[in-house]
Amino acid sequence: MEYVTVSVKLAIIAALLTGLAVFFAARAGEGALVLTPPQVTGIGALTLVMGLLVTVQGFETARYLGQSYDVPTRIRSMKWSQWLSAAIYMVYILLLAYVFRPDQLAFSETAIVDMMAIVAPALPLLLVAAALAAQFSAAVADTSGSGGLLSELSRGRLMPRTAYALLTLVGLALTWAADVFEIISYASRAFAGYYALQAALAAIGARRDGDGARATGFALLATFGLGIVLSGQAVEG
């Protein structure tokens, strides 16, 4: 089911980018591209970017597929996933930023659905389907990865099935207690903290191996991750 939903999601993303590209080209041909000056700059813009870190992460699930795939394959899959998702978001933002006026950009969790109706009548329905598919696949993948991590950290004392139940309860509680933008901010800080710890461990390992350059690079990444934890700002802020 996860494989099918991910395939559907990628197909819809391809349709969305194609529709936006055609719409962008048409507006460019008419000389009607919109140039909107940034409303947030400097440190404020940087903290907003920090708060959106969670947008392009979450592909560490392959780390727990060691029984099915070798290490090089799992590393390669995570790298390709990160680069592909980053490319999709950058192209999407580039195409979106120059075709809508500020008064067309409503601030809500579902504003993008209404905006895409301007591009193509079929896109809103496709986006709803993509959102459902994305959340299903993400829920399965992230719960699987988190359950594996909890089992690993507890040295097997906490079984994955028990971890799944605990994670589900926490997720339900968080969904009822916070809105979407708050959850994104919390998740960004949590992932930044996790990556900061991973980078710190990598720095320690590199220093033990006598690789000072890599140790310094990993230490800088750990510091950056800690900065995101402390300074990341929710988008509505």
Side-chain angles (χ1 to χ4, degrees), residues 27-41:
R27 296 299 296 271
E30 298 169 358
L33 293 180
V34 178
L35 301 177
T36 305
Q39 298 178 352
V40 181
T41 59

Side-chain angles (χ1 to χ4, degrees), residues 14-203:
L16 171 64
L17 293 180
T18 300
L20 276 174
V22 172
F23 189 70
F24 182 95
R27 296 299 296 271
E30 298 169 358
L33 293 180
V34 178
L35 301 177
T36 305
Q39 298 178 352
V40 181
T41 59
I43 298 299
L46 180 61
T47 57
L48 282 179
V49 171
M50 290 179 175
L52 289 171
L53 172 71
V54 74
T55 303
V56 285
Q57 61 71 39
F59 302 101
E60 66 283 347
T61 306
R63 177 176 180 272
Y64 305 105
L65 299 178
Q67 294 181 348
S68 302
Y69 301 97
D70 57 26
V71 172
T73 299
R74 286 181 285 146
I75 292 175
R76 188 165 61 251
S77 73
M78 287 187 281
K79 288 182 177 180
W80 271 103
S81 296
Q82 290 284 11
W83 283 114
L84 180 61
S85 65
I88 288 173
Y89 275 106
M90 294 306 296
V91 171
Y92 166 75
I93 292 172
L94 176 66
L95 295 175
L96 198 65
Y98 296 99
V99 295
F100 291 101
R101 301 186 310 273
D103 59 350
Q104 295 176 297
L105 303 175
F107 183 78
S108 72
E109 296 90 337
T110 58
I112 186 64
V113 176
D114 297 328
M115 291 165 58
M116 289 303 100
I118 301 174
V119 177
L123 281 180
L125 182 61
L126 290 176
L127 282 179
V128 172
L132 294 174
Q135 293 311 305
F136 177 85
S137 62
V140 172
D142 290 343
T143 302
S144 176
S146 299
L149 181 61
L150 289 175
S151 178
E152 179 183 289
L153 292 176
S154 66
R155 300 184 183 278
R157 288 189 292 271
L158 184 65
M159 298 300 295
R161 181 177 297 182
T162 305
Y164 298 154
L166 291 174
L167 291 165
T168 300
L169 291 175
V170 171
L172 289 172
L174 185 60
T175 301
W176 282 104
D179 62 39
V180 171
F181 297 118
E182 289 176 327
I183 292 174
I184 291 175
S185 180
Y186 295 150
S188 291
R189 289 187 176 92
F191 273 106
Y194 173 75
Y195 292 144
L197 290 174
Q198 295 292 310
L201 291 174

